[in-house]
Amino acid sequence: MKILIIGGTRFLGRHLVNSALARGHRVTLFNRGLTNPYLFPDLETIVGDRETGFTELMCHEWDAVVDTCGYLPRLVQLSASVLEACAGRYAFISSISVYAGFSKIGIDESDPVARLEDETVEEITGETYGPLKALCEQTVQNVFGDARTLNIRPGLIVGPYDPTDRFTYWPVRVARGGDVLAPEGPEAPVQIIDARDLADFILKLLEEGSSGTFNATGPDYELTIGALLEACKRVSNSDANFIWAPAEFLRRQEVAPWSDMPVWIPNTEEDAGFSRVDISRALRAGLKFRPLEETVRDTLQWARLRRSDRGWSAGLS
């Protein structure tokens, strides 16, 4: 296939490029040329800004476009309307954050999405991120139609080159050893997906002509924070000793879930389903997972190559 990737040089995008090339596809990138511009020197790259228009793309044709960085419906409307005539299908990378609530265990693709009272809002916050993504999904469907639209709703994407540190903190911290503060208790559920597995799944769906919406997180068993940290310990042969701190204690100490304590969201009645999202549709469509230890090992190896003066975006100091 001929595939256009909007973005393509940061995290999921770079893994999409690598997977697409390995599968024999021809890839074109559209981005501003600001993030890692040296990455793919042999690929056709069209430099442009989605804020100011996609006119540079109008004389091309692609079998599919993958939009890795659409956050505002206005800008997604612009890309979709321009590409509708020159791309066969539009794969939009959304988020499980689109759902209206997380009290239900086993949220599936039919559950209601969040809405904004004012749909012209463009400030991205913890409250608006999900509803804006839901509007972006609908925008693509309105332009491309249901049969030509693929909406992918990942959970926490992890692995090498993750700029958020929302997973990387754990392999690095556990490898350092000693007493490690850990959240809630070892049985608290968590869900993650390796960016490389997600990239392979997206391309598989495009190759098969699939459409519709897919929750895409994992793994295909109930993972706990305890099992995740033990995997980190095994991979690094660490002497880490986990000190499990109750959620209420962490709240009083102003230790925030997801950021100060990455991967974890308190297992409360309100958020009981956040880390138990139903991925059965994606599994039936062929979503596969590499071993957790492989993700931990590769993430740790990558992290050790980062600049020593690079700060951390998540985790405790």
Side-chain angles (χ1 to χ4, degrees), residues 127-145:
E127 289 70 37
T128 65
Y129 172 75
L132 285 170
K133 279 286 193 180
L135 287 173
C136 291
E137 290 183 0
Q138 189 58 56
T139 296
V140 176
Q141 286 178 271
N142 291 343
V143 176
F144 272 74

Side-chain angles (χ1 to χ4, degrees), residues 8-234:
T9 59
R10 196 177 190 200
F11 180 30
L12 174 61
R14 71 190 293 164
H15 292 301
L16 275 164
V17 171
N18 287 329
S19 181
L21 295 176
R23 298 165 87 102
H25 301 304
R26 293 174 58 188
V27 177
T28 300
L29 303 181
F30 175 81
N31 55 51
R32 295 173 297 172
L34 300 178
T35 303
N36 301 325
Y38 56 85
L39 259 188
F40 301 109
D42 297 329
L43 288 188
E44 178 185 27
T45 299
I46 301 172
V47 177
D49 191 328
R50 66 189 307 159
E51 181 76 45
T52 55
F54 281 74
T55 55
E56 300 91 339
L57 308 180
M58 296 181 70
C59 59
H60 295 71
E61 289 187 359
W62 293 279
D63 298 299
V65 55
V66 184
D67 188 346
T68 68
C69 50
Y71 301 98
L72 301 178
R74 174 178 58 84
L75 299 183
V76 172
Q77 172 70 41
L78 178 60
S79 63
S81 60
V82 169
L83 291 167
E84 191 276 332
C86 54
R89 278 176 302 141
Y90 198 117
F92 180 72
I93 310 306
S94 184
S95 169
I96 63 167
S97 296
V98 299
Y99 291 109
F102 290 94
S103 59
K104 173 187 172 181
I105 295 176
I107 293 169
D108 65 31
E109 293 84 355
S110 67
D111 281 293
V113 298
R115 303 293 182 189
L116 288 171
E117 289 187 14
D118 179 4
E119 293 187 353
T120 66
V121 168
E122 293 198 346
E123 182 183 4
I124 301 174
T125 66
E127 289 70 37
T128 65
Y129 172 75
L132 285 170
K133 279 286 193 180
L135 287 173
C136 291
E137 290 183 0
Q138 189 58 56
T139 296
V140 176
Q141 286 178 271
N142 291 343
V143 176
F144 272 74
D146 291 347
R148 297 170 61 204
T149 299
L150 193 59
N151 284 318
I152 307 296
R153 294 173 177 171
L156 180 61
I157 307 173
V158 307
Y161 304 107
D162 177 9
T164 73
D165 294 331
R166 288 181 300 182
F167 173 81
T168 309
Y169 168 79
W170 287 121
V172 172
R173 175 63 193 91
V174 172
R176 200 164 72 235
D179 288 344
V180 178
L181 189 70
E184 190 169 351
E187 298 306 315
V190 296
Q191 284 184 309
I192 58 175
I193 184 166
D194 190 300
R196 297 164 293 183
D197 296 335
L198 179 58
D200 288 344
F201 178 59
I202 293 166
L203 289 163
K204 183 177 190 296
L205 292 175
L206 290 174
E207 290 164 355
E208 295 174 351
S210 300
S211 60
T213 301
F214 294 85
N215 291 337
T217 186
D220 50 359
Y221 57 90
E222 185 164 297
L223 179 63
T224 65
I225 188 68
L228 170 60
L229 297 189
E230 288 295 339
C232 293
K233 184 174 178 177
R234 287 194 302 274

